[in-house]
Amino acid sequence: MAAAKSLKLSFPEERIALITIDVPDKGANVLSQHVIAELAELISELETRKDLLGLIFISGKPSGFVAGADIREFAASYDVGREQTMKVSSDGRNLFARFAQFPGVTVAAIDGICVGGGAELAIWCDRRILSSSPKTQFGFPEVKLGLFPGWGGTARTPRIIGLSNAIELITSGESIDSTRSLLLGLAADVVPTDQLLAAAIRLVKEEANTKSYLEDRQKWERPIVMSETELTFLGATASAYIQQQTKGNYPAPIAALELMIETSQLDVAAAANRETEQFAELFGTPINRSLINVFFLMDRNKKDLGISHDASTRAIRSLGVFGAGIMGSGIAAAGVKRGLTVTLTDTNPGQLGNGTKAILEEASFDRTLKGPDPKKMLELAANLNATITDAEFRRCDLVIEAIVENQQAKQSLYHRIEPLLPTDAILASNTSAISIDRLAAGLARPDRFCGIHFFNPVRKMPLVEVIRGSKTSDETIATAVQFVKAIGKSPIVVQDGPGFLVNRLLLPYMHEAIELLLEGASIAEIDSAAKHFGMPMGPITLYDVVGLDTAWHAGNVMVDAFPDRIVATPLLGALVKAGRLGQKSGAGFFAYPPNNKGSGNDNKKGVEDPAVIEMIRSMQRKSEKHSRETIISRLFLPMVVEAARILEEKKVRDVRDVDLGLIYGIGFPPFRGGLLFWADSQGIGRVIEELSQYEPLGARFAPTPMLSDLARSRRGFYDMSGRTSR
Ligand code: NAD
């Protein structure tokens, strides 16, 4: 049977051709090699029609125009060799370049997402019309995969919107909306979605009359007119900005910048050839592979139901939140923002009032206004019901408890409210550390109870751990997962257990940082090694941000649970006892002099404090020199070991949950692909060798049976998930 076609050719008017892109069996149009071949065939056929006034591209999918090239094909062809990579790049681009030579004007009619390879298809057309839908976005996200556009995007775009604008668009990887596209001259017009095709047909006729597209064709083939001084200035300022943003860890944006500066002075064909050569340099590099892995992690997470087989879910329309503190307010705001009806309460009326205000301000935040939008705030206020009456929770589909971290307080609340809720409603706790099974004891419906653990600040942190107790039903988990996604977050399902997933992995890392201090490494050496590895901040600074008391309590949970691997450190307790709780108390590992402003609004820049240095010295067991490499191994290897234990205990269902959890939960550097992806790329054999050096330090460096097995069979963690990391 012939494969279903992805492109449909029609003629809305006699001399106007229309190609409708609708890749079968896909939610979004993706340009696989198969689709490209089909397109080549159609274009060859249409090029013979010298009578055509124009050719319009449109999508047959409501999801958008084209979501890009087929990333799975990319990942399957890392090892095809430089020549083949260049061929795929130049073949695609040579095909698209024919749109700028076509017998009539070519127009891309874009509604919804138009990114990556889709944006390149559109940029080679003579004209683009965009719909005014807020879903319409145009962009080149390739740098986020460690690449840049490889089908001529870097050559063609600067000639249409100017070099400086194109550099910003391509090196940032961020998409722009219709209004900005119109301003940049990327869009010829912006019209409502239902008028898109009619407007494109009108434009074809106009252009056929004026022939202005033919002038542009000539102009866009030539080098860009810019003086040497202008080019040097643009290159230097953009380079400084990119270095600051990427901290040197992401080479693609700088490579794109250098390429575009260099090729701006060539004609477009020569510029595109250079692009192909340079694209092949980036393709298949370790960073490209790591970032593509992160893309797959995110993609899998979007599709994951949270359970291994189908279960019915309950639609959550009405959310209840107990506790209007830091976390409860954040959770309520996320719900209000996404159109849920939210009922909120707190035993402290002052907190309830403050929380209500904060929730509405946050939910109605407008990026352009850089503050709350009063009109939106009024609209959203109707969705928020702040109350002191339990009975008002009677109609909630889901109630999340975010009150004090105290088992008794939580259980007595459940005892009071469970009988009020509909029998199929879900009750969940945002607890950081209390066992879900322990909290479920005494519930009438433990199958409808789970943890929904948000991270602080809720507004910024994408990760939510959905914690499964031993009695939690599949339906409850699937509903919780669906709810978390509906409010714009990324859920990972974790079996109940100390530290759940993220804290169980974070704590060994933070604990090791203190062990290093007590063996002679300095605060600056430890923090700078972690940052060099790519962490957003060093572990010692992280202590001050999280709060030393909070870290101490969380650490104690781990000490109790895993005494063979984590031993309480006297240093943390002493600092807490001295009232040094971190940034919130004005002193932690660092001192925070009131006038010591950091950059921008950051007034929390710490300085070394001789009193703390002295405290550390008095507790030091050794005073050894540690290289940066040693510090990195010491910090991250215990995490790998603990992650292997988590997998052995089946706390998560897949290796990829660990990696995405750490990227989203603690900012593990995406350019490393994830903790276990990083371990795989070192080779598990090498990881074991390194561990053996540190094994005298304790069981936290002892390889687990899973690690030994993987090393023996020369496999990696990702081989267990059916994907390979190499
Ligand atoms: P918080 O102190 O800011 O807020 C708790 C609120 O609950 C307070 O306003 C308090 O008045 C109210 N409260 C206490 N008992 C109540 C009751 N019986 N009924 C209604 N309201 C009651 O605390 P938080 O930081 O928002 O933490 C809440 C929960 O979330 C805790 O279980 C905590 O462990 C967990 N958590 C906190 C963080 C964090 O970083 N703060 C992160 C993840 C999870």
Side-chain angles (χ1 to χ4, degrees), residues 384-406:
L384 180 63
N385 170 26
T387 180
I388 49 164
T389 316
D390 282 352
E392 297 202 23
F393 287 81
R394 220 172 243 147
R395 271 187 283 280
C396 288
D397 305 307
L398 165 68
V399 169
I400 300 180
E401 163 274 305
I403 68 167
V404 283
E405 185 74 342
N406 174 303

mmCIF file with all atom_site columns, all heavy atoms in Angstrom, residues 384-406:
data_model
loop_
_atom_site.group_PDB
_atom_site.id
_atom_site.type_symbol
_atom_site.label_atom_id
_atom_site.label_alt_id
_atom_site.label_comp_id
_atom_site.label_asym_id
_atom_site.label_entity_id
_atom_site.label_seq_id
_atom_site.pdbx_PDB_ins_code
_atom_site.Cartn_x
_atom_site.Cartn_y
_atom_site.Cartn_z
_atom_site.occupancy
_atom_site.B_iso_or_equiv
_atom_site.pdbx_formal_charge
_atom_site.auth_seq_id
_atom_site.auth_comp_id
_atom_site.auth_asym_id
_atom_site.auth_atom_id
_atom_site.pdbx_PDB_model_num
ATOM 1   N N   . LEU A 1 384 ? -11.526 33.037 42.252 1.00 0.00 ? 384 LEU A N   1
ATOM 2   C CA  . LEU A 1 384 ? -10.855 32.750 43.527 1.00 0.00 ? 384 LEU A CA  1
ATOM 3   C C   . LEU A 1 384 ? -11.810 32.978 44.691 1.00 0.00 ? 384 LEU A C   1
ATOM 4   O O   . LEU A 1 384 ? -12.348 34.077 44.855 1.00 0.00 ? 384 LEU A O   1
ATOM 5   C CB  . LEU A 1 384 ? -9.612  33.642 43.674 1.00 0.00 ? 384 LEU A CB  1
ATOM 6   C CG  . LEU A 1 384 ? -8.822  33.443 44.962 1.00 0.00 ? 384 LEU A CG  1
ATOM 7   C CD1 . LEU A 1 384 ? -8.245  32.033 45.048 1.00 0.00 ? 384 LEU A CD1 1
ATOM 8   C CD2 . LEU A 1 384 ? -7.685  34.466 45.065 1.00 0.00 ? 384 LEU A CD2 1
ATOM 9   N N   . ASN A 1 385 ? -11.995 31.961 45.482 1.00 0.00 ? 385 ASN A N   1
ATOM 10  C CA  . ASN A 1 385 ? -12.896 32.050 46.620 1.00 0.00 ? 385 ASN A CA  1
ATOM 11  C C   . ASN A 1 385 ? -12.086 31.848 47.900 1.00 0.00 ? 385 ASN A C   1
ATOM 12  O O   . ASN A 1 385 ? -11.711 30.728 48.232 1.00 0.00 ? 385 ASN A O   1
ATOM 13  C CB  . ASN A 1 385 ? -13.984 30.966 46.449 1.00 0.00 ? 385 ASN A CB  1
ATOM 14  C CG  . ASN A 1 385 ? -14.835 30.805 47.696 1.00 0.00 ? 385 ASN A CG  1
ATOM 15  O OD1 . ASN A 1 385 ? -14.965 31.751 48.483 1.00 0.00 ? 385 ASN A OD1 1
ATOM 16  N ND2 . ASN A 1 385 ? -15.396 29.618 47.894 1.00 0.00 ? 385 ASN A ND2 1
ATOM 17  N N   . ALA A 1 386 ? -11.785 32.954 48.591 1.00 0.00 ? 386 ALA A N   1
ATOM 18  C CA  . ALA A 1 386 ? -11.058 32.847 49.858 1.00 0.00 ? 386 ALA A CA  1
ATOM 19  C C   . ALA A 1 386 ? -12.089 32.720 50.969 1.00 0.00 ? 386 ALA A C   1
ATOM 20  O O   . ALA A 1 386 ? -12.996 33.538 51.064 1.00 0.00 ? 386 ALA A O   1
ATOM 21  C CB  . ALA A 1 386 ? -10.197 34.083 50.061 1.00 0.00 ? 386 ALA A CB  1
ATOM 22  N N   . THR A 1 387 ? -11.958 31.701 51.778 1.00 0.00 ? 387 THR A N   1
ATOM 23  C CA  . THR A 1 387 ? -13.010 31.410 52.753 1.00 0.00 ? 387 THR A CA  1
ATOM 24  C C   . THR A 1 387 ? -12.426 30.913 54.068 1.00 0.00 ? 387 THR A C   1
ATOM 25  O O   . THR A 1 387 ? -11.266 30.490 54.104 1.00 0.00 ? 387 THR A O   1
ATOM 26  C CB  . THR A 1 387 ? -13.969 30.339 52.169 1.00 0.00 ? 387 THR A CB  1
ATOM 27  O OG1 . THR A 1 387 ? -14.976 30.065 53.123 1.00 0.00 ? 387 THR A OG1 1
ATOM 28  C CG2 . THR A 1 387 ? -13.244 29.051 51.831 1.00 0.00 ? 387 THR A CG2 1
ATOM 29  N N   . ILE A 1 388 ? -13.252 30.958 55.119 1.00 0.00 ? 388 ILE A N   1
ATOM 30  C CA  . ILE A 1 388 ? -12.805 30.316 56.354 1.00 0.00 ? 388 ILE A CA  1
ATOM 31  C C   . ILE A 1 388 ? -13.761 29.178 56.726 1.00 0.00 ? 388 ILE A C   1
ATOM 32  O O   . ILE A 1 388 ? -13.753 28.671 57.833 1.00 0.00 ? 388 ILE A O   1
ATOM 33  C CB  . ILE A 1 388 ? -12.692 31.344 57.515 1.00 0.00 ? 388 ILE A CB  1
ATOM 34  C CG1 . ILE A 1 388 ? -13.952 32.190 57.617 1.00 0.00 ? 388 ILE A CG1 1
ATOM 35  C CG2 . ILE A 1 388 ? -11.475 32.228 57.364 1.00 0.00 ? 388 ILE A CG2 1
ATOM 36  C CD1 . ILE A 1 388 ? -14.068 32.940 58.942 1.00 0.00 ? 388 ILE A CD1 1
ATOM 37  N N   . THR A 1 389 ? -14.575 28.784 55.740 1.00 0.00 ? 389 THR A N   1
ATOM 38  C CA  . THR A 1 389 ? -15.582 27.750 56.003 1.00 0.00 ? 389 THR A CA  1
ATOM 39  C C   . THR A 1 389 ? -15.234 26.459 55.259 1.00 0.00 ? 389 THR A C   1
ATOM 40  O O   . THR A 1 389 ? -15.181 26.449 54.029 1.00 0.00 ? 389 THR A O   1
ATOM 41  C CB  . THR A 1 389 ? -16.965 28.260 55.512 1.00 0.00 ? 389 THR A CB  1
ATOM 42  O OG1 . THR A 1 389 ? -17.101 29.599 55.931 1.00 0.00 ? 389 THR A OG1 1
ATOM 43  C CG2 . THR A 1 389 ? -18.095 27.420 56.050 1.00 0.00 ? 389 THR A CG2 1
ATOM 44  N N   . ASP A 1 390 ? -15.053 25.390 55.993 1.00 0.00 ? 390 ASP A N   1
ATOM 45  C CA  . ASP A 1 390 ? -14.711 24.094 55.374 1.00 0.00 ? 390 ASP A CA  1
ATOM 46  C C   . ASP A 1 390 ? -15.754 23.660 54.347 1.00 0.00 ? 390 ASP A C   1
ATOM 47  O O   . ASP A 1 390 ? -15.416 23.062 53.322 1.00 0.00 ? 390 ASP A O   1
ATOM 48  C CB  . ASP A 1 390 ? -14.634 22.998 56.447 1.00 0.00 ? 390 ASP A CB  1
ATOM 49  C CG  . ASP A 1 390 ? -13.337 23.068 57.233 1.00 0.00 ? 390 ASP A CG  1
ATOM 50  O OD1 . ASP A 1 390 ? -12.458 23.865 56.847 1.00 0.00 ? 390 ASP A OD1 1
ATOM 51  O OD2 . ASP A 1 390 ? -13.218 22.338 58.234 1.00 0.00 ? 390 ASP A OD2 1
ATOM 52  N N   . ALA A 1 391 ? -17.035 23.964 54.660 1.00 0.00 ? 391 ALA A N   1
ATOM 53  C CA  . ALA A 1 391 ? -18.128 23.470 53.806 1.00 0.00 ? 391 ALA A CA  1
ATOM 54  C C   . ALA A 1 391 ? -17.962 23.933 52.360 1.00 0.00 ? 391 ALA A C   1
ATOM 55  O O   . ALA A 1 391 ? -18.469 23.300 51.438 1.00 0.00 ? 391 ALA A O   1
ATOM 56  C CB  . ALA A 1 391 ? -19.461 23.942 54.360 1.00 0.00 ? 391 ALA A CB  1
ATOM 57  N N   . GLU A 1 392 ? -17.233 25.021 52.158 1.00 0.00 ? 392 GLU A N   1
ATOM 58  C CA  . GLU A 1 392 ? -17.091 25.532 50.778 1.00 0.00 ? 392 GLU A CA  1
ATOM 59  C C   . GLU A 1 392 ? -16.162 24.674 49.906 1.00 0.00 ? 392 GLU A C   1
ATOM 60  O O   . GLU A 1 392 ? -16.002 24.925 48.723 1.00 0.00 ? 392 GLU A O   1
ATOM 61  C CB  . GLU A 1 392 ? -16.647 26.999 50.804 1.00 0.00 ? 392 GLU A CB  1
ATOM 62  C CG  . GLU A 1 392 ? -17.711 27.832 51.474 1.00 0.00 ? 392 GLU A CG  1
ATOM 63  C CD  . GLU A 1 392 ? -17.667 29.292 51.113 1.00 0.00 ? 392 GLU A CD  1
ATOM 64  O OE1 . GLU A 1 392 ? -17.120 29.630 50.056 1.00 0.00 ? 392 GLU A OE1 1
ATOM 65  O OE2 . GLU A 1 392 ? -18.193 30.082 51.914 1.00 0.00 ? 392 GLU A OE2 1
ATOM 66  N N   . PHE A 1 393 ? -15.535 23.692 50.537 1.00 0.00 ? 393 PHE A N   1
ATOM 67  C CA  . PHE A 1 393 ? -14.670 22.785 49.770 1.00 0.00 ? 393 PHE A CA  1
ATOM 68  C C   . PHE A 1 393 ? -15.456 21.587 49.246 1.00 0.00 ? 393 PHE A C   1
ATOM 69  O O   . PHE A 1 393 ? -14.909 20.708 48.606 1.00 0.00 ? 393 PHE A O   1
ATOM 70  C CB  . PHE A 1 393 ? -13.500 22.305 50.636 1.00 0.00 ? 393 PHE A CB  1
ATOM 71  C CG  . PHE A 1 393 ? -12.470 23.380 50.868 1.00 0.00 ? 393 PHE A CG  1
ATOM 72  C CD1 . PHE A 1 393 ? -12.657 24.350 51.840 1.00 0.00 ? 393 PHE A CD1 1
ATOM 73  C CD2 . PHE A 1 393 ? -11.329 23.446 50.080 1.00 0.00 ? 393 PHE A CD2 1
ATOM 74  C CE1 . PHE A 1 393 ? -11.724 25.362 52.037 1.00 0.00 ? 393 PHE A CE1 1
ATOM 75  C CE2 . PHE A 1 393 ? -10.386 24.449 50.266 1.00 0.00 ? 393 PHE A CE2 1
ATOM 76  C CZ  . PHE A 1 393 ? -10.592 25.414 51.247 1.00 0.00 ? 393 PHE A CZ  1
ATOM 77  N N   . ARG A 1 394 ? -16.757 21.592 49.565 1.00 0.00 ? 394 ARG A N   1
ATOM 78  C CA  . ARG A 1 394 ? -17.610 20.440 49.281 1.00 0.00 ? 394 ARG A CA  1
ATOM 79  C C   . ARG A 1 394 ? -17.657 20.043 47.805 1.00 0.00 ? 394 ARG A C   1
ATOM 80  O O   . ARG A 1 394 ? -17.851 18.902 47.477 1.00 0.00 ? 394 ARG A O   1
ATOM 81  C CB  . ARG A 1 394 ? -19.036 20.783 49.728 1.00 0.00 ? 394 ARG A CB  1
ATOM 82  C CG  . ARG A 1 394 ? -19.691 19.629 50.384 1.00 0.00 ? 394 ARG A CG  1
ATOM 83  C CD  . ARG A 1 394 ? -21.001 20.017 50.991 1.00 0.00 ? 394 ARG A CD  1
ATOM 84  N NE  . ARG A 1 394 ? -20.987 19.840 52.422 1.00 0.00 ? 394 ARG A NE  1
ATOM 85  C CZ  . ARG A 1 394 ? -21.650 20.595 53.275 1.00 0.00 ? 394 ARG A CZ  1
ATOM 86  N NH1 . ARG A 1 394 ? -22.360 21.608 52.846 1.00 0.00 ? 394 ARG A NH1 1
ATOM 87  N NH2 . ARG A 1 394 ? -21.602 20.343 54.549 1.00 0.00 ? 394 ARG A NH2 1
ATOM 88  N N   . ARG A 1 395 ? -17.478 21.027 46.932 1.00 0.00 ? 395 ARG A N   1
ATOM 89  C CA  . ARG A 1 395 ? -17.610 20.700 45.511 1.00 0.00 ? 395 ARG A CA  1
ATOM 90  C C   . ARG A 1 395 ? -16.261 20.585 44.794 1.00 0.00 ? 395 ARG A C   1
ATOM 91  O O   . ARG A 1 395 ? -16.214 20.520 43.580 1.00 0.00 ? 395 ARG A O   1
ATOM 92  C CB  . ARG A 1 395 ? -18.490 21.738 44.820 1.00 0.00 ? 395 ARG A CB  1
ATOM 93  C CG  . ARG A 1 395 ? -19.973 21.348 44.878 1.00 0.00 ? 395 ARG A CG  1
ATOM 94  C CD  . ARG A 1 395 ? -20.832 22.273 44.062 1.00 0.00 ? 395 ARG A CD  1
ATOM 95  N NE  . ARG A 1 395 ? -21.063 23.539 44.748 1.00 0.00 ? 395 ARG A NE  1
ATOM 96  C CZ  . ARG A 1 395 ? -21.977 23.681 45.701 1.00 0.00 ? 395 ARG A CZ  1
ATOM 97  N NH1 . ARG A 1 395 ? -22.735 22.669 46.066 1.00 0.00 ? 395 ARG A NH1 1
ATOM 98  N NH2 . ARG A 1 395 ? -22.139 24.846 46.303 1.00 0.00 ? 395 ARG A NH2 1
ATOM 99  N N   . CYS A 1 396 ? -15.166 20.557 45.573 1.00 0.00 ? 396 CYS A N   1
ATOM 100 C CA  . CYS A 1 396 ? -13.843 20.509 44.922 1.00 0.00 ? 396 CYS A CA  1
ATOM 101 C C   . CYS A 1 396 ? -13.570 19.126 44.323 1.00 0.00 ? 396 CYS A C   1
ATOM 102 O O   . CYS A 1 396 ? -13.895 18.111 44.927 1.00 0.00 ? 396 CYS A O   1
ATOM 103 C CB  . CYS A 1 396 ? -12.749 20.820 45.945 1.00 0.00 ? 396 CYS A CB  1
ATOM 104 S SG  . CYS A 1 396 ? -12.735 22.544 46.400 1.00 0.00 ? 396 CYS A SG  1
ATOM 105 N N   . ASP A 1 397 ? -12.947 19.136 43.138 1.00 0.00 ? 397 ASP A N   1
ATOM 106 C CA  . ASP A 1 397 ? -12.537 17.870 42.525 1.00 0.00 ? 397 ASP A CA  1
ATOM 107 C C   . ASP A 1 397 ? -11.212 17.408 43.121 1.00 0.00 ? 397 ASP A C   1
ATOM 108 O O   . ASP A 1 397 ? -10.911 16.231 43.147 1.00 0.00 ? 397 ASP A O   1
ATOM 109 C CB  . ASP A 1 397 ? -12.340 18.059 41.011 1.00 0.00 ? 397 ASP A CB  1
ATOM 110 C CG  . ASP A 1 397 ? -13.580 18.625 40.348 1.00 0.00 ? 397 ASP A CG  1
ATOM 111 O OD1 . ASP A 1 397 ? -14.654 18.042 40.546 1.00 0.00 ? 397 ASP A OD1 1
ATOM 112 O OD2 . ASP A 1 397 ? -13.467 19.665 39.649 1.00 0.00 ? 397 ASP A OD2 1
ATOM 113 N N   . LEU A 1 398 ? -10.413 18.382 43.520 1.00 0.00 ? 398 LEU A N   1
ATOM 114 C CA  . LEU A 1 398 ? -9.087  18.089 44.070 1.00 0.00 ? 398 LEU A CA  1
ATOM 115 C C   . LEU A 1 398 ? -8.793  19.086 45.181 1.00 0.00 ? 398 LEU A C   1
ATOM 116 O O   . LEU A 1 398 ? -9.008  20.291 45.005 1.00 0.00 ? 398 LEU A O   1
ATOM 117 C CB  . LEU A 1 398 ? -8.026  18.248 42.963 1.00 0.00 ? 398 LEU A CB  1
ATOM 118 C CG  . LEU A 1 398 ? -6.553  18.334 43.400 1.00 0.00 ? 398 LEU A CG  1
ATOM 119 C CD1 . LEU A 1 398 ? -6.072  17.009 43.971 1.00 0.00 ? 398 LEU A CD1 1
ATOM 120 C CD2 . LEU A 1 398 ? -5.654  18.715 42.215 1.00 0.00 ? 398 LEU A CD2 1
ATOM 121 N N   . VAL A 1 399 ? -8.325  18.581 46.321 1.00 0.00 ? 399 VAL A N   1
ATOM 122 C CA  . VAL A 1 399 ? -7.904  19.479 47.401 1.00 0.00 ? 399 VAL A CA  1
ATOM 123 C C   . VAL A 1 399 ? -6.426  19.235 47.667 1.00 0.00 ? 399 VAL A C   1
ATOM 124 O O   . VAL A 1 399 ? -6.004  18.090 47.879 1.00 0.00 ? 399 VAL A O   1
ATOM 125 C CB  . VAL A 1 399 ? -8.729  19.225 48.688 1.00 0.00 ? 399 VAL A CB  1
ATOM 126 C CG1 . VAL A 1 399 ? -8.103  19.957 49.871 1.00 0.00 ? 399 VAL A CG1 1
ATOM 127 C CG2 . VAL A 1 399 ? -10.163 19.692 48.494 1.00 0.00 ? 399 VAL A CG2 1
ATOM 128 N N   . ILE A 1 400 ? -5.628  20.320 47.616 1.00 0.00 ? 400 ILE A N   1
ATOM 129 C CA  . ILE A 1 400 ? -4.201  20.190 47.934 1.00 0.00 ? 400 ILE A CA  1
ATOM 130 C C   . ILE A 1 400 ? -3.960  20.849 49.288 1.00 0.00 ? 400 ILE A C   1
ATOM 131 O O   . ILE A 1 400 ? -4.332  22.008 49.496 1.00 0.00 ? 400 ILE A O   1
ATOM 132 C CB  . ILE A 1 400 ? -3.314  20.851 46.860 1.00 0.00 ? 400 ILE A CB  1
ATOM 133 C CG1 . ILE A 1 400 ? -3.559  20.197 45.502 1.00 0.00 ? 400 ILE A CG1 1
ATOM 134 C CG2 . ILE A 1 400 ? -1.839  20.722 47.237 1.00 0.00 ? 400 ILE A CG2 1
ATOM 135 C CD1 . ILE A 1 400 ? -2.731  20.758 44.366 1.00 0.00 ? 400 ILE A CD1 1
ATOM 136 N N   . GLU A 1 401 ? -3.338  20.103 50.167 1.00 0.00 ? 401 GLU A N   1
ATOM 137 C CA  . GLU A 1 401 ? -3.026  20.644 51.488 1.00 0.00 ? 401 GLU A CA  1
ATOM 138 C C   . GLU A 1 401 ? -1.594  21.162 51.463 1.00 0.00 ? 401 GLU A C   1
ATOM 139 O O   . GLU A 1 401 ? -0.671  20.442 51.064 1.00 0.00 ? 401 GLU A O   1
ATOM 140 C CB  . GLU A 1 401 ? -3.246  19.522 52.520 1.00 0.00 ? 401 GLU A CB  1
ATOM 141 C CG  . GLU A 1 401 ? -2.622  19.722 53.863 1.00 0.00 ? 401 GLU A CG  1
ATOM 142 C CD  . GLU A 1 401 ? -1.172  19.250 53.879 1.00 0.00 ? 401 GLU A CD  1
ATOM 143 O OE1 . GLU A 1 401 ? -0.906  18.083 53.540 1.00 0.00 ? 401 GLU A OE1 1
ATOM 144 O OE2 . GLU A 1 401 ? -0.306  20.086 54.199 1.00 0.00 ? 401 GLU A OE2 1
ATOM 145 N N   . ALA A 1 402 ? -1.439  22.439 51.820 1.00 0.00 ? 402 ALA A N   1
ATOM 146 C CA  . ALA A 1 402 ? -0.093  23.049 51.882 1.00 0.00 ? 402 ALA A CA  1
ATOM 147 C C   . ALA A 1 402 ? 0.036   23.813 53.192 1.00 0.00 ? 402 ALA A C   1
ATOM 148 O O   . ALA A 1 402 ? 0.367   25.000 53.220 1.00 0.00 ? 402 ALA A O   1
ATOM 149 C CB  . ALA A 1 402 ? 0.122   23.970 50.681 1.00 0.00 ? 402 ALA A CB  1
ATOM 150 N N   . ILE A 1 403 ? -0.292  23.109 54.310 1.00 0.00 ? 403 ILE A N   1
ATOM 151 C CA  . ILE A 1 403 ? -0.175  23.766 55.626 1.00 0.00 ? 403 ILE A CA  1
ATOM 152 C C   . ILE A 1 403 ? 1.183   23.408 56.239 1.00 0.00 ? 403 ILE A C   1
ATOM 153 O O   . ILE A 1 403 ? 2.014   22.786 55.568 1.00 0.00 ? 403 ILE A O   1
ATOM 154 C CB  . ILE A 1 403 ? -1.356  23.374 56.561 1.00 0.00 ? 403 ILE A CB  1
ATOM 155 C CG1 . ILE A 1 403 ? -1.274  21.903 56.951 1.00 0.00 ? 403 ILE A CG1 1
ATOM 156 C CG2 . ILE A 1 403 ? -2.696  23.684 55.896 1.00 0.00 ? 403 ILE A CG2 1
ATOM 157 C CD1 . ILE A 1 403 ? -2.201  21.518 58.108 1.00 0.00 ? 403 ILE A CD1 1
ATOM 158 N N   . VAL A 1 404 ? 1.385   23.768 57.498 1.00 0.00 ? 404 VAL A N   1
ATOM 159 C CA  . VAL A 1 404 ? 2.691   23.519 58.144 1.00 0.00 ? 404 VAL A CA  1
ATOM 160 C C   . VAL A 1 404 ? 3.142   22.071 57.990 1.00 0.00 ? 404 VAL A C   1
ATOM 161 O O   . VAL A 1 404 ? 2.322   21.157 57.948 1.00 0.00 ? 404 VAL A O   1
ATOM 162 C CB  . VAL A 1 404 ? 2.655   23.837 59.660 1.00 0.00 ? 404 VAL A CB  1
ATOM 163 C CG1 . VAL A 1 404 ? 2.706   25.296 59.903 1.00 0.00 ? 404 VAL A CG1 1
ATOM 164 C CG2 . VAL A 1 404 ? 1.460   23.179 60.328 1.00 0.00 ? 404 VAL A CG2 1
ATOM 165 N N   . GLU A 1 405 ? 4.467   21.911 57.973 1.00 0.00 ? 405 GLU A N   1
ATOM 166 C CA  . GLU A 1 405 ? 5.040   20.570 57.785 1.00 0.00 ? 405 GLU A CA  1
ATOM 167 C C   . GLU A 1 405 ? 4.988   19.814 59.115 1.00 0.00 ? 405 GLU A C   1
ATOM 168 O O   . GLU A 1 405 ? 6.005   19.660 59.801 1.00 0.00 ? 405 GLU A O   1
ATOM 169 C CB  . GLU A 1 405 ? 6.483   20.723 57.263 1.00 0.00 ? 405 GLU A CB  1
ATOM 170 C CG  . GLU A 1 405 ? 7.184   19.433 56.900 1.00 0.00 ? 405 GLU A CG  1
ATOM 171 C CD  . GLU A 1 405 ? 6.707   18.798 55.596 1.00 0.00 ? 405 GLU A CD  1
ATOM 172 O OE1 . GLU A 1 405 ? 5.605   19.146 55.124 1.00 0.00 ? 405 GLU A OE1 1
ATOM 173 O OE2 . GLU A 1 405 ? 7.431   17.940 55.072 1.00 0.00 ? 405 GLU A OE2 1
ATOM 174 N N   . ASN A 1 406 ? 3.800   19.372 59.486 1.00 0.00 ? 406 ASN A N   1
ATOM 175 C CA  . ASN A 1 406 ? 3.639   18.681 60.747 1.00 0.00 ? 406 ASN A CA  1
ATOM 176 C C   . ASN A 1 406 ? 2.603   17.578 60.542 1.00 0.00 ? 406 ASN A C   1
ATOM 177 O O   . ASN A 1 406 ? 1.464   17.846 60.152 1.00 0.00 ? 406 ASN A O   1
ATOM 178 C CB  . ASN A 1 406 ? 3.170   19.706 61.802 1.00 0.00 ? 406 ASN A CB  1
ATOM 179 C CG  . ASN A 1 406 ? 2.830   19.065 63.123 1.00 0.00 ? 406 ASN A CG  1
ATOM 180 O OD1 . ASN A 1 406 ? 1.998   18.172 63.208 1.00 0.00 ? 406 ASN A OD1 1
ATOM 181 N ND2 . ASN A 1 406 ? 3.476   19.547 64.163 1.00 0.00 ? 406 ASN A ND2 1
#
